[in-house]
Amino acid sequence: MNIVITGVSRGIGYETVKALIAKSEHKVVCIARSEQELNLLKSECYKLNPLSSIFVIPFDLRSLHKKEDLLSKILRFIPNVDILINNAGSLLVKPIEGVCLEEINQVFHLNFNVPFLLMQMLSGHLTSNAHVLNISSMGGFQDSAKFSGLSIYSSAKAALNCLTQVIAAEWSERSIAVNALAIGAVNTQMLSEAFPEYKAPVEAFEMGAYIANFAVEGRKYYNGKILPVALSNP
């Protein structure tokens, strides 16, 4: 399958790519800001599987208004897309009194605008029976426990969940499935930076393996669904 995934420089995205590459039939296009970290990922994937078809695109998704540039780079490696995994995101932990408009815009851009723009950009290049998988959070899952300081992040993920369901309906006649996984706490650098005292019950490589499998198989069973994947709440 031809797969595009964002936010792969570390954590869950990094581990998801490794799990996908373990199956040599996949061609995986990886998008992240850091060229150095992308090259490290590529090197590690070749060690895991010398037959890896992994392609890396250094691109700052904060500049996705230049989406034609990114599209041309993707199509240089693959002619169409079977799976899109919108994993890139941004976490902000701050009381409402201290949040500024620039921070709101940044968090919403990476967690909502970027998935929207990528789906829009790749719409004409998604194959029949394609699967779009948005990586959301239990923080944006309806009726989950909510935590102080996560107002903007959780709201952005809630918006992504709604977007997932709307686009699933919009593309239903094209047989394109659109789902979201509402991820609970996972041991990643991003989580430890935000909550240094907290130890999550799931490791990044475990969640990466789950996401990789769901991205390939999930469209057979789900469409327009927001599925919680959590041992904790969130």
Side-chain angles (χ1 to χ4, degrees):
M1 290 188 175
N2 296 332
I3 302 171
V4 175
I5 177 171
T6 63
V8 301
S9 59
R10 60 181 186 173
I12 293 172
Y14 191 95
E15 297 296 338
T16 300
V17 172
K18 288 167 58 180
L20 289 168
I21 285 297
K23 302 202 179 254
S24 57
E25 66 267 23
H26 298 318
K27 295 181 179 179
V28 185
V29 178
C30 304
I31 302 169
R33 187 168 45 181
S34 170
E35 184 172 6
Q36 180 180 6
E37 291 174 338
L38 282 170
N39 287 333
L40 286 173
L41 173 59
K42 188 174 183 179
S43 176
E44 186 164 346
C45 286
Y46 279 128
K47 290 177 184 177
L48 289 171
N49 180 2
L51 299 177
S52 296
S53 293
I54 177 172
F55 310 99
V56 298
I57 301 177
F59 189 89
D60 189 345
L61 291 170
R62 294 174 299 182
S63 302
L64 199 52
H65 57 279
K66 304 174 183 177
K67 58 185 180 180
E68 293 79 10
D69 294 342
L70 179 58
L71 178 60
S72 65
K73 291 176 180 178
I74 292 172
L75 297 180
R76 200 180 305 162
F77 297 122
I78 53 175
N80 48 43
V81 178
D82 298 302
I83 297 173
L84 168 63
I85 305 175
N86 284 312
N87 175 68
S90 174
L91 177 63
L92 176 70
V93 183
K94 184 178 283 191
I96 187 171
E97 293 83 1
V99 177
C100 67
L101 180 59
E102 182 179 354
E103 290 170 322
I104 296 172
N105 290 338
Q106 179 181 344
V107 172
F108 265 84
H109 179 71
L110 287 172
N111 291 293
F112 178 83
N113 294 4
V114 165
F116 177 91
L117 291 170
L118 285 171
M119 286 189 282
Q120 183 185 61
M121 179 185 80
L122 292 172
S123 173
H125 303 278
L126 293 171
T127 59
S128 177
N129 298 318
H131 188 196
V132 176
L133 179 57
N134 295 320
I135 304 304
S136 186
S137 168
M138 284 298 292
F141 190 76
Q142 186 173 1
D143 296 328
S144 67
K146 300 298 186 283
F147 292 86
S148 176
L150 295 177
S151 59
I152 304 306
Y153 175 77
S154 295
S155 298
K157 289 300 189 182
L160 178 61
N161 292 343
C162 184
L163 177 67
T164 296
Q165 294 175 320
V166 173
I167 302 303
E170 193 167 314
W171 285 350
S172 60
E173 293 184 358
R174 297 176 57 188
S175 297
I176 296 172
V178 187
N179 292 298
L181 295 179
I183 305 299
V186 178
N187 274 325
T188 63
Q189 185 178 342
M190 185 169 74
L191 181 71
S192 63
E193 289 171 354
F195 302 100
E197 304 299 322
Y198 182 72
K199 173 69 174 176
V202 178
E203 298 297 330
F205 75 89
E206 295 174 308
M207 188 60 72
Y210 183 89
I211 291 171
N213 182 70
F214 187 88
V216 175
E217 301 292 339
R219 73 159 323 280
K220 298 176 184 177
Y221 312 102
Y222 300 101
N223 185 31
K225 299 298 185 289
I226 315 303
L227 301 169
V229 186
L231 291 174
S232 58
N233 191 6

